[in-house]
Amino acid sequence: MASIAHELAKKQKEISISEFFEKNKHILGFDSLTRALITAVKESVDNSLDACEDAGVLPEIFVQVDRVDNNEYRIVVEDNGPGIVKKQVPNVFGRLLYGSRFHVRAQRRGQQGIGVSAVVMYAQITTGKPAKIRSRISDEDVAYECELVLDTKKNRPQMVKEDFVIWEKEHGTRLEVNLKGKYVGGKQSIYEYLKGVAIVNPHARITFIQPDGGNVVFERSTEAMPPPTREVRPHPEGVELGELLNMTKYTEAKKMTSFLNTEFSRISLRVAREILDAAEISHNQRPSRLNLDQAGDIIDAVKKVKIMAPETDCLSPIGEGLIRKSLKNVLGETRASFYAPPVTREPKVFGGNPFIVEIGIVYGGQLSKENPVQIYRFANRVPLMYQQGACATTQGIENVDWRRYGLEQRGGKGIPFGPAIILVHVASTKIPFTSESKEAVANVPEIREEIELALKACARRLKTHLNKAEQKSKARVKFEIVQEIIPMIAQKSAKIVGKPVPDIAGTITKIMNVVWVEDEVTHIKKKHHVSVRLYNYTPKNQKLQLHMVLPYEKVDDGSLTLKPSEVRNGTKVTWNMKKVAPTEVFELAFDMKGLDGGEYEENEVFVSGIDPASVIGADVLPGDWDLEHITITEEKSVPEEAADEGEIDYDEGAEVIEDEE
Amino acid sequence: MKNEERHLKAVDRLTELAGDVYDQLVDRKIPKMSIPLRTKSNIRFDRRSGVWKYGRATGVRSAKKLTGAQMLLRTMYMLEFMEEMIRTNKSSTLREMYYISEGWDKAKFSAQDESNMLAEDLEIITNCMREDFKLRPEEDGARIMGNVTVMETDRKGKKKKINCRDDVGDSGYGIPYNVEKEKIGFVDCDADFLIAIETGGMFDRLVENRFDEDSHAVIVHLKGQPARSTRRFIKRISEEMKLPVCTFVDGDPWSFRIHASLAYGAIKTAHISEYLATPTAEYVGITASDILNYDLPTDKLNERDIQALNAEKTDPRFSDQFWKHEIDLMLQIGKKAEQQALAKYGLDFVTKTYLPEKLTELGIMR
Ligand SMILES: Nc1ncnc2c1ncn2[C@@H]1O[C@H](COP(=O)(O)OP(=O)(O)O)[C@@H](O)[C@H]1O
C-alpha cells in the first residue's frame, strides 16, 4: 500500500501556476453558496473513491456537514484509502493544478487535477480558516496532521501547524475545512449526490452525518471491487494541439519517432515514421523542439495515416447485474414495482477515446405519476448534479419517443412523464464535458447515438414488463367477475325466481376462456414456500406441462404436491400436470430450504402443451430449454364472441347523460 | 290502474327480469340486458304527444365487463329489495335505498347518482314507474303561489282544500312528491297563465311585487332543474285547468336545459316524457337577445358554458330556429346573464316592464 502512495507521489507533478482560478471560482463549481458546499464534498469524495480503488480497498467513506454559524459550515470527509505521503500533503491540498491524473488516460473520477486544492482555497477565501488534513499510510505508525493555507499569489502551500498524531485508522485520509455555504435538501443536495455515488459505487459504504444530526448510511451491495481500470496512453486521434505540445515537454524520449511510439497507444515505430513523413518532420527531431506549426502538421498527419482503433478493455462499467442490485439497495424506499434489467452497451470510440454507456430504469411504486421522470446522470461513476438540460444524456432521453415504451410524453419529444427513474452512466478515459465545471456531457454524436440505443434497449424491457402487468390486471378484473360477481348473480337470481342455483361453469369459461397461472413465493422461517395455481377457465379439459427454473437440490421432497417428471441440470424442472377440468384449479406447491431470502425472489414459470394465447400469467417454454419430447400443440385460440361486435356498451358508452333533473 | 295492481304488475316485471338473467346462466351464456340508450342521439320527437322520447337504439349491459357485471349484480339486489318492499308494504326514499346498499357487499353503490340511475334503468326496462317499486324522491319543496285551489289528501287520509294564495304564507304552497290524482286534485283556478321561475330570489321578487294578483298569474318556483313532481304538477295543471305555461330562467346554457326538460322532455327521463313534459310551455327569457336589447349586466361564458352551448347545437330538442339563433348569439357575444340582472333598472322593472313586454310578445298576456 505504501508503495502505491510513493508511486502516486512521483506522478504528482506541477501542471501550471495560476491565481486565475481565484477570480473564476464559478467554473470550479463554487458559484453559489449551495453549490459550493456540494462541490467541496464532491471533490473530496471523488478523490477518496479514486484513492481507494487505486489501493484496492473497499471504500469506507465518512462525510459530515456541521453548521458552525449562520452560513459557515464545517465539512469533514474521511476515507480508508492508502493515505498520502507527508511530503506530498502540502502539494495535494495547497497547490492548484497539482494532480496525478492529468497525464493519465484511464477512466477516473478526478480528471483535471484542480479538485481538492480548490476546496481548500475556497474555504480559506470565505472563512479565512486553514484546512486541516490528517493522513496515514500503512507503513507509518502514526498519522501526519497539518493545518495549511494556500498562497494564492505564488500557488504555494503555507504550513500553519504540523504534528504527528495517533490514529486508530491503519491508513486513510481526512480533510476538514470550514467554508461559507448553504445547506439545502432537494434534487441538488449533498444527500442526493451521495445517494448517486452509492448507486454507481455499489462497492462503497458511505456514512453521512447531516447538520441536524441525522445519520444516513448507504450500505454496499457488493464486496467485489470493480475491476481495476488500466491506464492507457492516449490514442493519437483524440489528441489536441495544446495537449500534444505539453506532452513534448515531459517526455523522456529524445527523438520524435520514439516520442510518438512511447507516449501514444497504437503507434508502432513504422506508423510513427509514416506520420512524421506525412507531416514532413525529421524522424530524429527532438520532441522538445516541436513548434506550434509542426504540432499542427502532426495532428493533420494522424488523420491521413491508418492507425488501429483504440483499446477499449480499459473501461470499468458497473455492469448490468450490479446496477440493478445497487438501484434496489439505494432506492428501496421508493418501493418501485419494477427494476428494468439494465443495459450495458459494448464499448465504442469517439475521437480516439473509448467509452461505454449504461442505462437502468426504475418504475412504479411511490414514484410520482404526474411529474417528469427523474434523471440520474453519471460520468465515470460521478453523479452529475447541474446543467441537466445541456447534457447529452438528457438530450438522448428527450430524443426517444417514450410513448412507445409506456411513458407519457407530449408530442413524442422532451423529458417523459411518469413514475420512473432513468439512470444513464457514461464511462470513458476522457469524458467530453461541455465546460470546465464537469457537469454536463458534451453532445458528441457517437456518444449521443450510443445513449439513445441503450435507452431504447432498456425501455423495451420496461415495455415488456408493462404489457405483462396490463395483461395481468385485465385478467384480474375478469377474475373478480367470474370468482365473485357471477356466483352472486346466480344466487340472487335463483332466489328471486325461486329455482335452484344454476351451474355457472359454462358462463365462466365463456367470459375468461384462458388458463390462468398464478404463482407466489414467500420466505418465512428460513423456508421458501412456492405455490403455482392453475385455473382452467377454458371450456375443455386441459392437460399441460409446467416448467420452472430453480435450485432443485434445495426442494424439500416431502413437501411436493406433485413429483416432477424430469429435472435437468439440477435446475430445469418439469411437471406433467394431471387433467384439469373446466373451472377447476390445480395447485402445485413445495418448500425450499437453505436459501437466503434474496437468493430466490421470483418464480420463473413456463408452460407447454397449450396454445400460448390462451395462457395468462406464465410464458411459453423458451426455446433454449430444448425438451425434445414435448410436443407443443398449436391450437387456434377462440376469437372473442363475434356476435358482440357492434353492440354498444350501455355503461361505458361515449355519451354522458346530460346534467339534468 | 289501481295502486295495488300497479305494484303487482311491478313485481311480475321484476321477477321476469331476474328470470331472464337466470335463464341465460342456465343456457351457459354470458348474462346481458338490453336497455334503450339514454343519450341525446337517441331521443326522437313524438308527434302525437308533442314531446321527446327515446328512440330505438339500445345498449347492452353485459357481465363480460366489470362495470356491466357489477350493474347486473346490483340489479339483482335491487329487484330483491323492491319485491320485499312491495310485499311488506313499505317504501323508501332513493337516498335510503342508497344507504341500504351499504350492506350489499360487491353490489354496493359508490354514489347516490348510481343508484338513482339504476332505478331509472329499471323503470325503462319494466315500463313501470319508480313509485310502483315503492321508491320515492326526497322532498324538494318546490313552491307555488297564485289563485289556484287544490284538494290534497293528507297522511291521515283527510281531504283539505287549499288556496295557493290565500291559505298559505308568503313562501307559497309546497308541492308534495306525489302529485297523482289520489293525492292532489284541482278544484278551481282563476289565473291567465302559469310562470315557472328558476331562482328563489326571483320567485320572492314576483311575490313581493304581487305579480300573481296584478297580472293574474300562478308563480312556480322550479328550484333549478325541476323535480319530477314539479314537472308533473305543471303538466297536470296546464292540461286540466287549461292554463298557458311559460318559463322564466337565467340566461345561460344550463337554464336552457331547464326549459327543455320542462317543455320537451329530459334526456334522462325520456321514457316518461309524455307524462312529465308540457309541450305548450313557452320560453320567456332570459335570452341572448334580451342581454343585448335590455343591455343587461353580464358574466363571461366559461369553458364549461361554451361546451354546454356547443353540445346543445347537436341536441335535437334545440334544433328549431329560435334556439339556433339564441345559442349562436350567446356564443357570439360570449356572455350570460342572471334573471336578477334586471334589477339594474330597479326592483319593479321585472314586473312592470320586462315581463309584460315579453309576455305580450308571446301572446300570453294581453
Ligand atoms: N483522499 C486521498 N487519498 C489519497 N490520495 C489523494 C487523496 N486526495 C487526493 N489525493 C492525491 O492527490 C492528487 C491530487 O488530487 P486533486 O488535486 O483533487 O486532483 P485530481 O483528483 O483531479 O487528480 C490525486 O491525484 C491523488 O493522487
Side-chain angles (χ1 to χ4, degrees):
Chain A
M1 195 129 330
S3 66
I4 287 167
H6 288 301
E7 180 93 337
L8 289 174
K10 268 192 251 153
K11 295 182 185 166
Q12 285 155 353
K13 35 194 168 175
E14 185 179 323
I15 295 162
S16 108
I17 303 169
S18 178
E19 59 184 289
F20 166 78
F21 284 116
E22 190 189 342
K23 300 185 189 106
N24 292 278
K25 55 189 181 194
H26 60 283
I27 59 168
L28 300 175
F30 294 101
D31 49 345
S32 76
L33 286 178
T34 320
R35 189 161 173 203
L37 224 52
I38 298 175
T39 302
V41 170
K42 181 175 159 140
E43 291 295 341
S44 320
V45 170
D46 286 356
N47 276 346
S48 291
L49 288 167
D50 271 342
C52 287
E53 252 159 60
D54 283 335
V57 291
L58 285 170
E60 180 84 51
I61 295 177
F62 172 90
V63 178
Q64 180 168 16
V65 179
D66 277 325
R67 189 166 182 177
V68 180
D69 83 316
N70 239 342
N71 55 6
E72 181 178 334
Y73 288 84
R74 185 180 69 114
I75 288 180
V76 176
V77 175
E78 188 179 312
D79 64 52
N80 60 340
I84 303 167
V85 292
K86 172 175 175 285
K87 189 165 66 72
Q88 288 296 347
V89 168
N91 287 329
V92 168
F93 295 95
R95 249 172 120 174
L96 286 179
L97 290 178
Y98 188 92
S100 58
R101 308 271 175 238
F102 196 64
H103 306 285
V104 174
R105 289 277 169 147
Q107 176 190 329
R108 279 299 196 286
R109 296 178 179 82
Q111 256 185 344
Q112 266 96 350
I114 41 177
V116 76
S117 45
V119 175
V120 171
M121 190 184 68
Y122 174 83
Q124 169 186 332
I125 295 169
T126 55
T127 67
K129 293 182 184 161
K132 191 165 162 187
I133 296 113
R134 178 187 283 192
S135 192
R136 179 175 168 191
I137 60 175
S138 63
D139 55 3
E140 304 280 355
D141 295 331
V142 285
Y144 169 68
E145 190 174 85
C146 68
E147 287 181 24
L148 59 79
V149 291
L150 208 137
D151 180 337
T152 49
K153 287 251 157 52
K154 295 198 200 111
N155 192 20
R156 283 286 179 277
Q158 240 174 15
M159 214 41 92
V160 178
K161 211 157 106 187
E162 270 185 292
D163 208 352
F164 287 96
V165 293
I166 304 282
W167 201 18
E168 69 284 358
K169 264 210 162 91
E170 265 176 54
H171 49 82
T173 304
R174 173 190 162 100
L175 168 68
E176 182 181 324
V177 285
N178 281 49
L179 43 77
K180 285 255 149 72
K182 191 168 161 223
Y183 185 84
V184 294
K187 213 176 142 200
Q188 287 161 337
S189 63
I190 295 175
Y191 174 80
E192 282 298 314
Y193 163 73
L194 291 176
K195 184 159 114 187
V197 170
I199 291 173
V200 283
N201 295 278
H203 62 295
R205 181 176 188 274
I206 302 168
T207 307
F208 176 36
I209 314 273
Q210 289 160 289
D212 63 7
N215 171 344
V216 190
V217 183
F218 296 104
E219 295 292 349
R220 54 175 68 93
S221 42
T222 175
E223 299 285 322
M225 287 295 289
T229 53
R230 245 176 349 101
E231 282 183 19
V232 286
R233 288 163 296 159
H235 189 273
E237 273 166 20
V239 78
E240 284 153 26
L241 197 64
E243 215 179 340
L244 177 61
L245 284 169
N246 220 343
M247 289 168 77
T248 59
K249 305 248 152 55
Y250 293 104
T251 182
E252 278 156 20
K254 301 282 183 292
K255 293 180 189 175
M256 278 308 289
T257 36
S258 57
F259 166 70
L260 293 176
N261 172 238
T262 53
E263 297 289 334
F264 291 96
S265 71
R266 303 301 205 204
I267 299 190
S268 61
L269 285 171
R270 187 184 58 77
V271 174
R273 282 192 290 271
E274 262 184 69
I275 293 171
L276 290 168
D277 289 347
E280 294 177 15
I281 293 170
S282 153
H283 297 185
N284 293 335
Q285 184 178 325
R286 273 183 163 275
S288 55
R289 304 280 281 277
L290 196 76
N291 65 34
L292 192 70
D293 286 344
Q294 287 178 313
D297 291 343
I298 287 188
I299 287 178
D300 289 340
V302 162
K303 292 183 191 128
K304 292 175 199 147
V305 174
K306 251 198 155 94
I307 304 170
M308 270 176 79
E311 305 160 67
T312 54
D313 57 353
C314 49
L315 298 173
S316 142
I318 306 162
E320 299 180 350
L322 264 185
I323 292 179
R324 185 164 175 185
K325 204 166 167 188
S326 183
L327 283 170
K328 273 193 181 177
N329 180 32
V330 176
L331 299 174
E333 71 206 28
T334 63
R335 309 206 173 281
S337 55
F338 184 62
Y339 292 83
V343 170
T344 299
R345 299 272 306 168
E346 287 300 310
K348 291 276 152 55
V349 175
F350 78 95
N353 302 291
F355 72 97
I356 216 166
V357 172
E358 299 183 278
I359 305 286
I361 299 178
V362 179
Y363 187 90
Q366 283 163 14
L367 297 171
S368 154
K369 291 190 179 68
E370 285 83 40
N371 292 330
V373 301
Q374 295 176 54
I375 302 173
Y376 286 10
R377 299 174 295 133
F378 300 93
N380 284 351
R381 296 185 186 236
V382 175
L384 305 179
M385 310 288 290
Y386 291 92
Q387 298 172 22
Q388 176 170 301
C391 191
T393 58
T394 312
Q395 289 158 2
I397 290 172
E398 289 170 345
N399 244 8
V400 171
D401 186 348
W402 289 93
R403 296 172 304 183
R404 291 195 202 171
Y405 306 110
L407 294 177
E408 275 172 38
Q409 192 184 34
R410 287 173 201 135
K413 279 235 173 295
I415 296 179
F417 283 66
I421 296 174
I422 301 176
L423 172 150
V424 189
H425 180 217
V426 181
S428 174
T429 50
K430 186 181 174 190
I431 301 274
F433 287 108
T434 55
S435 74
E436 218 48 52
S437 58
K438 299 186 259 172
E439 285 292 350
V441 177
N443 197 340
V444 175
E446 290 91 337
I447 297 187
R448 256 288 286 284
E449 188 186 329
E450 275 298 299
I451 290 173
E452 282 176 31
L453 287 172
L455 282 168
K456 285 179 186 163
C458 197
R460 270 194 294 278
R461 296 174 178 179
L462 170 66
K463 184 63 182 162
T464 308
H465 163 79
L466 293 178
N467 284 348
K468 262 196 193 166
E470 192 190 303
Q471 199 195 27
K472 273 214 159 178
S473 85
K474 269 194 192 151
R476 205 162 285 130
V477 167
K478 288 199 167 181
F479 210 65
E480 189 186 343
I481 298 176
V482 302
Q483 286 275 294
E484 308 187 50
I485 300 180
I486 299 288
M488 284 170 84
I489 292 179
Q491 255 178 18
K492 280 282 159 198
S493 62
K495 194 173 161 207
I496 298 170
V497 297
K499 290 183 187 168
V501 178
D503 175 16
I504 53 175
T507 303
I508 287 178
T509 55
K510 277 222 177 63
I511 292 177
M512 295 291 276
N513 200 19
V514 287
V515 171
W516 166 272
V517 183
E518 202 178 44
D519 70 276
E520 194 182 45
V521 53
T522 45
H523 182 65
I524 22 168
K525 294 197 194 132
K526 307 214 159 134
K527 268 200 292 194
H528 281 85
H529 179 73
V530 174
S531 135
V532 181
R533 272 186 299 272
L534 207 134
Y535 297 82
N536 180 8
Y537 284 136
T538 66
K540 57 179 177 220
N541 293 333
Q542 294 289 354
K543 192 166 167 9
L544 39 89
Q545 288 88 38
L546 208 78
H547 314 270
M548 292 182 80
V549 184
L550 46 88
Y552 191 71
E553 85 270 9
K554 308 283 186 194
V555 171
D556 172 8
D557 263 2
S559 67
L560 276 164
T561 55
L562 179 71
K563 296 269 179 260
S565 55
E566 189 192 66
V567 180
R568 285 197 175 199
N569 310 332
T571 55
K572 295 175 173 178
V573 192
T574 297
W575 285 268
N576 280 324
M577 310 286 274
K578 299 198 179 76
K579 194 181 78 186
V580 188
T583 71
E584 274 186 5
V585 194
F586 179 81
E587 182 176 8
L588 168 71
F590 54 86
D591 293 335
M592 289 194 289
K593 285 184 188 152
L595 286 170
D596 264 357
E599 274 180 274
Y600 189 91
E601 289 184 318
E602 271 170 45
N603 297 311
E604 278 183 76
V605 186
F606 304 98
V607 290
S608 60
I610 184 170
D611 170 25
S614 43
V615 185
I616 286 178
D619 285 329
V620 254
L621 197 66
D624 55 9
W625 189 293
D626 94 285
L627 297 170
E628 307 89 325
H629 57 279
I630 280 178
T631 46
I632 296 190
T633 47
E634 287 284 346
E635 284 175 56
K636 290 232 165 58
S637 62
V638 188
E640 293 250 323
E641 282 171 85
D644 285 5
E645 266 160 45
E647 271 181 358
I648 300 170
D649 186 315
Y650 184 79
D651 296 297
E652 285 163 26
E655 262 185 81
V656 191
I657 295 178
E658 306 276 317
D659 178 20
E660 284 182 30
E661 192 168 354
Chain B
M1 220 185 302
K2 280 264 233 3
N3 242 349
E4 195 57 22
E5 266 173 63
R6 282 172 43 191
H7 292 318
L8 286 177
K9 178 188 143 208
V11 171
D12 281 353
R13 290 277 166 89
L14 295 175
T15 315
E16 241 168 64
L17 205 58
D20 211 39
V21 169
Y22 181 89
D23 291 345
Q24 294 184 67
L25 286 172
V26 172
D27 293 347
R28 309 169 71 82
K29 288 187 183 143
I30 302 175
K32 62 180 186 185
M33 205 176 262
S34 283
I35 315 170
L37 283 176
R38 295 161 69 188
T39 57
K40 75 176 176 207
S41 51
N42 189 36
I43 52 172
R44 304 277 174 273
F45 187 69
D46 181 56
R47 267 175 207 290
R48 202 177 46 75
S49 56
V51 297
W52 294 80
K53 295 179 176 176
Y54 290 128
R56 265 190 223 127
T58 57
V60 165
R61 176 169 277 165
S62 157
K64 203 164 56 175
K65 295 245 181 79
L66 184 61
T67 351
Q70 262 170 344
M71 290 311 275
L72 287 178
L73 180 59
R74 286 170 176 159
T75 306
M76 293 304 120
Y77 270 90
M78 207 139 140
L79 298 186
E80 193 188 29
F81 172 67
M82 291 166 170
E83 288 197 11
E84 177 77 19
M85 282 198 296
I86 295 171
R87 219 160 16 86
T88 56
N89 201 18
K90 289 232 169 60
S91 71
S92 96
T93 66
L94 288 165
R95 186 147 197 82
E96 282 169 334
M97 187 185 67
Y98 165 64
Y99 283 125
I100 279 168
S101 87
E102 283 284 315
W104 289 358
D105 194 7
K106 288 249 154 210
K108 178 175 140 180
F109 292 104
S110 43
Q112 200 190 327
D113 270 357
E114 277 180 0
S115 55
N116 290 358
M117 289 281 233
L118 186 54
E120 283 160 6
D121 288 346
L122 292 181
E123 286 185 315
I124 298 169
I125 300 168
T126 59
N127 236 326
C128 295
M129 297 270 280
R130 62 188 180 197
E131 287 76 15
D132 304 338
F133 305 142
K134 297 278 204 163
L135 284 176
R136 60 188 148 85
E138 281 69 57
E139 216 56 70
D140 53 29
R143 302 176 284 161
I144 169 165
M145 174 69 86
N147 195 2
V148 192
T149 308
V150 297
M151 181 74 85
E152 183 179 328
T153 310
D154 74 3
R155 281 168 297 166
K156 298 177 193 119
K158 229 173 86 188
K159 289 190 188 301
K160 284 179 183 159
K161 221 185 218 176
I162 305 168
N163 182 280
C164 299
R165 184 184 65 198
D166 303 334
D167 300 340
V168 297
D170 290 348
S171 61
Y173 169 73
I175 301 175
Y177 75 82
N178 180 2
V179 292
E180 292 314 314
K181 291 219 167 71
E182 73 265 15
K183 175 81 181 167
I184 299 275
F186 297 107
V187 180
D188 190 21
C189 173
D190 182 18
D192 294 341
F193 61 96
L194 178 149
I195 183 163
I197 313 287
E198 176 176 356
T199 63
M202 187 51 78
F203 176 83
D204 292 337
R205 167 62 40 228
L206 264 53
V207 170
E208 192 181 300
N209 291 4
R210 294 166 176 256
F211 187 71
D212 53 328
E213 289 179 35
D214 296 352
S215 303
H216 246 223
V218 174
I219 314 169
V220 177
H221 176 206
L222 296 174
K223 281 192 117 185
Q225 269 293 350
R228 282 188 190 187
S229 57
T230 312
R231 283 184 277 159
R232 175 69 181 151
F233 185 91
I234 294 172
K235 180 178 180 72
R236 278 194 62 198
I237 199 172
S238 103
E239 278 180 356
E240 293 171 31
M241 299 284 115
K242 306 273 173 283
L243 202 62
V245 172
C246 61
T247 49
F248 177 31
V249 294
D250 286 340
D252 64 38
W254 316 101
S255 303
F256 297 170
R257 293 178 187 192
I258 290 177
H259 174 76
S261 71
L262 186 134
Y264 317 137
I267 293 174
K268 237 163 72 75
T269 53
H271 56 298
I272 42 178
S273 289
E274 205 173 335
Y275 170 82
L276 296 178
T278 310
T280 52
E282 294 277 5
Y283 186 83
V284 178
I286 305 287
T287 59
S289 312
D290 289 344
I291 293 178
L292 297 177
N293 295 342
Y294 293 91
D295 189 20
L296 296 177
T298 54
D299 283 317
K300 263 179 76 169
L301 293 178
N302 62 33
E303 219 31 67
R304 285 190 60 230
D305 293 332
I306 294 171
Q307 258 174 27
L309 282 168
N310 283 320
E312 283 163 10
K313 289 175 79 164
T314 57
D315 186 328
R317 299 173 303 166
F318 293 106
S319 58
D320 69 14
Q321 276 315 308
F322 169 78
W323 283 117
K324 274 203 175 114
H325 174 73
E326 289 299 332
I327 290 166
D328 282 338
L329 187 61
M330 184 165 283
L331 280 167
Q332 194 193 318
I333 61 177
K335 302 231 167 77
K336 58 182 179 184
E338 292 184 351
Q339 308 185 277
Q340 298 187 56
L342 291 164
K344 172 185 179 187
Y345 301 108
L347 296 177
D348 290 341
F349 181 76
V350 62
T351 43
K352 288 263 146 31
T353 315
Y354 177 79
L355 285 174
E357 274 180 24
K358 296 280 299 199
L359 290 168
T360 315
E361 213 175 281
L362 289 168
I364 292 172
M365 239 163 100
R366 256 153 284 182

